[in-house]
Amino acid sequence: VTCITLMTDFGNRDDSAGCCRGVIVGRAPDARLVDITHEIPPFDIRRGALTWINVLPYMPVGIHVGVVDPGVGTARRPIAVRTRRGDVLVGPDNGLLPAAAAALGGVSDAVELADERFMLQPRSNTFHGRDIFAPMAAALATGTPLGDLGPALDPATLVTLALPRPRWDGEALHCAVVYVDNFGNLRLNAGEDVVADWHLHEGDAVGVTLGGHRLSVPFARSFGMVPEGTAALIVDAYWHLMLAINRGHAAATYGVGIDAPVVLRRTGDGAKDAE
Amino acid sequence: VTCITLMTDFGNRDDSAGCCRGVIVGRAPDARLVDITHEIPPFDIRRGALTWINVLPYMPVGIHVGVVDPGVGTARRPIAVRTRRGDVLVGPDNGLLPAAAAALGGVSDAVELADERFMLQPRSNTFHGRDIFAPMAAALATGTPLGDLGPALDPATLVTLALPRPRWDGEALHCAVVYVDNFGNLRLNAGEDVVADWHLHEGDAVGVTLGGHRLSVPFARSFGMVPEGTAALIVDAYWHLMLAINRGHAAATYGVGIDAPVVLRRTGDGAKDAE
Amino acid sequence: VTCITLMTDFGNRDDSAGCCRGVIVGRAPDARLVDITHEIPPFDIRRGALTWINVLPYMPVGIHVGVVDPGVGTARRPIAVRTRRGDVLVGPDNGLLPAAAAALGGVSDAVELADERFMLQPRSNTFHGRDIFAPMAAALATGTPLGDLGPALDPATLVTLALPRPRWDGEALHCAVVYVDNFGNLRLNAGEDVVADWHLHEGDAVGVTLGGHRLSVPFARSFGMVPEGTAALIVDAYWHLMLAINRGHAAATYGVGIDAPVVLRRTGDGAKDAE
């Protein structure tokens, strides 16, 4: 059974997610429909891409519809991209798809979603999730070949998205908060390779500068390895670093949010070991 | 496979939506259960009706459970209404169902949900979504004829809902905000017929009075046809007008919300063309 | 078809719920996946237990995954518990499971989820919902016997949760708000047995002390039995008492929230009848 997943910035309150679900279950009654989330912040293409990068590797190979689409109804192209893993990503050509495809082996081929036979009629200018992306996904799920949906695109022409990268300044790692999760944990764009580079072991101190605060926090395997109310630097479930407070809310405590710069430094005895 | 949809004002945090899903999957294991939304504002029958009017035409013909039910446990009747399209709407007799049925071809017949064999036992007085509407929907999905659920009702006796209509005052259209969507767009109760009546083309100016503001905004095909931060009057995906700000939040910008009066006037050269 | 339900404190915005859904639909493609809620307040094990106690009796017998897990990655055990009704509850050993199992006939047997063959590889220290609980549930749904997932546990060794109980002080019932629902109703831990004990009939007055307020409110069958804006004491759908305001928001009106103490007293003529 083919799986169709949905990720949007529509919110759970509006009519939009329900309309997309309706189009899909009506046109692809045998497909399995799975919501990823509809709470991507409005217009936040980067957050959509990062969510897909985190979630899609855990989804079965399938058809993944992503709608974070501030350019709906303009010249931006509706597209579908096949990944080397075998998925098809469906959505607007605004950078959302290639970033996620990279997490699924990369883009193998792409098409512009142009064939009006697979769109709803009449078609609105403001809701292509319902009128183009959902019915195209249903067409794919019911056996329509990708190439029938429109002309092939050169993947090199797809709009790409610059994801923020950390940088080294001497022995300091300059990174940034890329997400504040439901628990207030500060998710950083620093990868777990720092843990090996710095020979970090449970309890080793790391210097953290953020939001005007200069902290020394222990590296810890998980939240509960430090006392309640205590901060720790932890490898998150996507193998990046996060700053968390056990049973607390780090973002509120430190008064920082997405895009806040964070500087990490190896401190204490471990700093010498690592040299 | 029969589709059962759910729309309620229970919220996603409470136990209620989960209970209704449980009753349905337990009693109708082969039905396809689709959530529309559980974030109808508490008690807001009109918002429930408008959501159904927008979403149900995109759902396959099926059984649609709607629970916005401030009168639960009082003399208000639990009902089911068959539409000319073939759907059955299930919910309280408070205006929710007939308004939506009108969008599906109108009411063909109706019953009072009275047969206790199809209700949960014991039955609460405060949660008929779980105890009456969900099991009745499951009974329908598993082949019970509508007429077995209770006595036929004269559709003319159903409670109806007055949806707010726009009115003309000379050349000005007096309408109202009926919804603020997830992006802050102001959804109006003015239909797209104004576009033809006023011969509006991309970029034509329209005068908009709302919340003490007197604006002149362009008519635009979609959000991204005007610069970021700029307001535009746009036909929404349900063929009504909306006032939107490209990548902005119109409701917050103008300090208005649901039921705010809005006056639209044709202005500029186009106003003469339209005469 | 086996039903797998999900209840977590992940929120609907984060990537976590989508990851769990993906693991389950990928590994148990024929199971029916049903969300209960992902909006348990962060770390609130008690709220998770109460939600399960309310919802699971309305779910078909199946596999129920509950993740409210502040101790993830520490020495707390991942466990699965079979209920006498035939369900298997999957989650952390922090009190969540036994409380809910009691509502399903009690615990019949339990295992520690230890066999790494049924976990994701690599496995994180901070997201056992995805890496242990979801794949273990999928293994059960696809026919793996409970005993294959790890060594049997003595149910008497499971961590238990103390749920707050009301107490009598003379003729006064001292209880507490255990939940504020989506409508602002104050859900109490007082059972409906008080209604029979006090011979309460529609409209009988009950004295309520909460948040510095001393009220006399009628006992009512449902919200709409009292005028709009009026408070009433009502038996809720889980056979406990709640203080509600018809079409109002009791929690905001009285300025109280979860754990607020509430004292109930039989007053008026009925008080004499009850003696």
Side-chain angles (χ1 to χ4, degrees):
Chain A
V1 60
T2 305
C3 190
I4 300 178
T5 73
L6 275 178
M7 176 190 73
T8 77
D9 64 351
F10 296 154
N12 286 313
R13 186 175 55 92
D14 278 11
D15 308 330
S16 312
C19 286
C20 291
R21 291 186 195 110
V23 169
I24 289 170
V25 302
R27 292 180 166 230
D30 294 328
R32 180 153 202 172
L33 178 58
V34 182
D35 291 297
I36 292 178
T37 181
H38 298 283
E39 299 286 358
I40 301 296
F43 322 129
D44 192 343
I45 298 167
R46 191 181 83 185
R47 182 66 220 147
L50 292 170
T51 294
W52 254 0
I53 289 169
N54 284 349
V55 176
L56 291 187
Y58 295 96
M59 283 284 167
V61 173
I63 298 156
H64 309 293
V65 180
V67 192
V68 182
D69 192 14
V72 61
T74 66
R76 78 91 189 85
R77 299 178 295 191
I79 59 172
V81 161
R82 180 146 41 201
T83 73
R84 293 199 195 284
R85 198 182 77 156
D87 311 84
V88 179
L89 309 184
V90 176
D93 181 22
N94 62 17
L96 186 64
L97 279 63
L104 301 172
V107 174
S108 68
D109 53 314
V111 302
E112 181 173 351
L113 299 171
D115 192 326
E116 301 198 354
R117 289 176 301 159
F118 303 107
M119 301 180 188
L120 295 202
Q121 303 298 345
R123 184 167 83 247
S124 73
N125 291 315
T126 57
F127 190 6
H128 287 183
R130 179 193 69 190
D131 298 340
I132 298 181
F133 302 127
M136 290 281 181
L140 289 165
T142 52
T144 306
L146 179 61
D148 284 11
L149 303 183
L153 285 178
D154 178 355
T157 68
L158 298 178
V159 174
T160 55
L161 191 68
L163 295 176
R165 303 285 174 204
R167 76 184 164 74
W168 287 95
D169 181 8
E171 295 181 5
L173 181 60
H174 290 248
C175 53
V177 176
V178 291
Y179 188 56
V180 176
D181 72 22
N182 190 51
F183 305 91
N185 302 320
L186 300 169
R187 304 296 185 108
L188 309 178
N189 58 348
E192 65 163 345
D193 48 313
V194 176
V195 175
D197 288 355
W198 283 350
H199 303 284
L200 287 175
H201 297 98
E202 190 76 23
D204 284 351
V206 178
V208 179
T209 307
L210 86 165
H213 301 269
R214 294 182 67 95
L215 314 167
S216 175
V217 308
F219 174 74
R221 197 174 69 229
S222 193
F223 313 102
M225 303 304 287
V226 297
E228 282 194 32
T230 297
L233 191 70
I234 300 171
V235 176
D236 79 8
Y238 309 98
W239 292 276
H240 287 77
L241 298 180
M242 67 173 151
L243 186 69
I245 294 178
N246 184 22
R247 304 227 187 183
H249 195 287
T253 301
Y254 300 120
V256 299
I258 290 176
D259 287 333
V262 176
V263 183
L264 303 179
R265 284 186 184 82
R266 184 71 163 101
T267 56
D269 291 347
K272 291 173 192 155
D273 295 350
E275 281 167 18
Chain B
V1 61
T2 304
C3 191
I4 300 178
T5 74
L6 274 178
M7 176 190 72
T8 77
D9 64 351
F10 297 154
N12 286 314
R13 187 175 55 93
D14 277 12
D15 309 329
S16 312
C19 286
C20 291
R21 291 186 196 111
V23 169
I24 289 171
V25 302
R27 291 178 167 233
D30 294 327
R32 181 152 200 171
L33 177 58
V34 183
D35 289 299
I36 292 178
T37 182
H38 298 283
E39 298 286 358
I40 301 296
F43 322 128
D44 192 343
I45 298 167
R46 191 179 83 185
R47 182 65 221 148
L50 292 170
T51 294
W52 254 0
I53 289 170
N54 284 349
V55 176
L56 291 188
Y58 295 94
M59 283 285 167
V61 173
I63 298 157
H64 308 293
V65 180
V67 192
V68 183
D69 192 12
V72 61
T74 66
R76 77 94 188 83
R77 301 179 293 194
I79 59 172
V81 160
R82 181 148 40 202
T83 73
R84 295 199 192 286
R85 197 181 78 156
D87 311 83
V88 180
L89 309 185
V90 176
D93 182 21
N94 62 16
L96 185 65
L97 278 64
L104 301 173
V107 174
S108 68
D109 54 315
V111 302
E112 181 172 353
L113 299 171
D115 192 326
E116 300 199 355
R117 290 177 300 160
F118 303 107
M119 302 179 187
L120 295 203
Q121 303 298 346
R123 186 166 83 245
S124 73
N125 291 315
T126 57
F127 191 6
H128 287 183
R130 179 194 69 190
D131 297 340
I132 299 181
F133 301 129
M136 291 281 182
L140 289 165
T142 51
T144 306
L146 180 61
D148 284 10
L149 303 183
L153 285 178
D154 177 355
T157 68
L158 299 178
V159 174
T160 55
L161 190 70
L163 295 175
R165 302 285 173 202
R167 75 182 166 76
W168 288 97
D169 181 8
E171 295 181 4
L173 181 60
H174 290 248
C175 53
V177 175
V178 290
Y179 188 57
V180 176
D181 71 22
N182 191 50
F183 305 92
N185 302 320
L186 300 168
R187 305 295 184 108
L188 307 178
N189 58 348
E192 65 163 347
D193 49 312
V194 175
V195 175
D197 288 356
W198 282 350
H199 304 285
L200 287 175
H201 297 97
E202 189 75 22
D204 285 351
V206 178
V208 179
T209 308
L210 87 164
H213 301 269
R214 294 182 67 96
L215 314 168
S216 176
V217 307
F219 175 73
R221 195 172 70 230
S222 193
F223 314 102
M225 303 305 287
V226 297
E228 282 194 33
T230 298
L233 191 70
I234 299 172
V235 177
D236 79 8
Y238 308 97
W239 291 277
H240 286 78
L241 298 180
M242 68 173 151
L243 186 69
I245 294 178
N246 184 23
R247 303 226 187 184
H249 195 287
T253 301
Y254 300 121
V256 297
I258 290 176
D259 287 333
V262 177
V263 183
L264 303 178
R265 285 185 182 82
R266 183 69 163 103
T267 56
D269 291 347
K272 293 176 190 152
D273 296 349
E275 282 166 19
Chain C
V1 61
T2 305
C3 191
I4 301 178
T5 74
L6 274 178
M7 176 189 72
T8 76
D9 64 351
F10 297 153
N12 287 312
R13 185 175 57 91
D14 278 12
D15 309 329
S16 313
C19 286
C20 291
R21 292 185 195 111
V23 170
I24 290 170
V25 301
R27 292 180 166 231
D30 294 327
R32 181 153 200 171
L33 177 59
V34 182
D35 291 297
I36 292 178
T37 181
H38 298 283
E39 299 285 357
I40 301 296
F43 322 127
D44 193 344
I45 298 166
R46 190 180 84 185
R47 182 66 221 148
L50 292 170
T51 294
W52 253 359
I53 289 168
N54 284 348
V55 175
L56 291 187
Y58 296 95
M59 283 285 166
V61 172
I63 298 157
H64 309 293
V65 179
V67 192
V68 182
D69 192 13
V72 61
T74 67
R76 76 93 188 85
R77 300 178 294 193
I79 58 171
V81 161
R82 182 148 38 201
T83 73
R84 294 199 194 284
R85 197 182 78 157
D87 311 84
V88 179
L89 310 185
V90 176
D93 182 20
N94 62 17
L96 186 64
L97 278 65
L104 301 172
V107 173
S108 68
D109 53 314
V111 302
E112 180 173 352
L113 299 171
D115 192 326
E116 301 199 354
R117 288 177 301 157
F118 303 106
M119 302 180 187
L120 295 203
Q121 302 298 346
R123 184 165 85 245
S124 73
N125 291 315
T126 58
F127 190 6
H128 287 182
R130 179 194 69 191
D131 297 340
I132 298 180
F133 302 128
M136 291 280 182
L140 289 165
T142 52
T144 306
L146 179 61
D148 284 11
L149 303 182
L153 285 179
D154 178 355
T157 68
L158 299 178
V159 175
T160 55
L161 191 68
L163 296 176
R165 303 283 173 205
R167 75 182 165 78
W168 287 96
D169 181 7
E171 296 182 3
L173 181 60
H174 290 248
C175 53
V177 175
V178 290
Y179 189 56
V180 176
D181 72 22
N182 191 50
F183 304 92
N185 303 320
L186 300 168
R187 306 295 184 108
L188 308 178
N189 58 348
E192 65 163 346
D193 48 314
V194 176
V195 176
D197 288 354
W198 284 350
H199 303 285
L200 286 175
H201 298 98
E202 188 76 23
D204 284 350
V206 178
V208 178
T209 307
L210 86 166
H213 301 268
R214 294 182 67 95
L215 314 167
S216 176
V217 308
F219 175 73
R221 198 173 68 230
S222 193
F223 314 101
M225 303 304 288
V226 296
E228 281 195 31
T230 298
L233 192 70
I234 300 171
V235 176
D236 80 7
Y238 308 98
W239 291 278
H240 287 78
L241 298 180
M242 67 173 152
L243 185 70
I245 294 178
N246 185 23
R247 303 224 188 187
H249 195 286
T253 301
Y254 300 120
V256 298
I258 290 175
D259 286 333
V262 176
V263 183
L264 303 179
R265 285 186 183 81
R266 184 71 163 102
T267 56
D269 290 348
K272 293 174 193 156
D273 296 350
E275 283 166 19

